Amino acid sequence: MTIDELNQKWGIKDRLQFSEENGMPVAIISNNLCTCKISIYGAQVLSFIPANSKNLIWVSEAAVYEPGVAIRGGIPLCFPWFGPHEENNTFPKHGFARLMFWNVDATEQLISGETKISMSLTDNDYTKQYFPFSFKCTLEITAGKELMMKWTTLSSSNDSFKISNALHTYFNVGSIHEVSITGLENTPFMEEIRSDDPFSGEVAPIKFHRETDRTYTDTINFCKIIDPSLQRTILIKKSGSNSTVVWNPWAELSNKMQDLKSDDFNQFVCVEAANLLHNAVLIEPGEKHVMRMVVEEREEGRKVVR
Ligand SMILES: O=P(O)(O)OC[C@H]1O[C@H](O)[C@H](O)[C@@H](O)[C@@H]1O
């Protein structure tokens, strides 16, 4: 669909418009509660700014906007595998969902003041090269005071299949050196996804002093990103997700990555609601899996809901 067709069919006056940015179609939500930008390529949230506040989401200024390339930042969707493919390392890292244009299925202005957009991705010849199953992923994004995401994977396959998935969220922070993350204390983790040797977990909240790439499994906990420099806490609530990934590339890796500037690592942390390793999800024919994530900002010092 062209931008005009998208606007005619799904635009909502003064609330949701489609436009082209960096050569890619995006949906821009603007209501009394927030503004939110979503790329149709990858169904990837690129910004979420609550009213009178700063962006909760970070996107690299060096991001590449080209079909076949993953946009660095926002909320990429990793599906149906995470990291390199287990058997074929020529397959796209983190799966194909973030490399495809999704279909816009519905938009709605809610009485609550929130604005909703639903997008979907269905198997086709391209996905079948990598994943021989029939499926439909639906992503519903509701943008208001909070950002809510509901990701449904429905099997229309005759065989059961297993998926790993992640909402690979890049959170905007004032300075990674000051950030701490709570919610994963005493939870075993793998320092790298391929390591077989789980660490037994740390008692203290996570602090960042070096490259960090941790996969926590068997955790349904909500996390908080405590960010003293922006004087706020981001609360991340989730369900249908039994793993959480925490990633920051630090200086050396940032330097090597073409779509990051060398000091960008200071500005973001990825906290990813996921289902990985032995938490991969088996979906039977006709069945579905639902993962939800809600992110919201809390002012520092205010009581935080657990
Ligand atoms: O560069 P990408 O393919 O977007 O992956 C970026 C990062 O994603 C996850 O957080 C993984 O745990 C990391 O190992 C990986 O480096």
Side-chain angles (χ1 to χ4, degrees), residues 70 72 82 93-94 98 168 170 213 215 245 247 253 257 270 272:
R72 174 71 58 203
F82 184 87
K93 190 175 163 199
H94 291 327
R98 63 178 183 166
H168 190 315
Y170 288 69
D213 190 355
T215 301
V245 178
W247 181 61
L253 185 55
M257 296 173 78
C270 291
E272 310 166 32

Side-chain angles (χ1 to χ4, degrees), residues 31 33-35 48-51 113-115 142-148:
N31 57 36
L33 303 168
C34 70
T35 60
F48 173 65
I49 311 174
E114 297 162 309
T115 310
T142 308
K145 197 171 165 291
E146 310 171 329
L147 177 68
M148 290 187 263

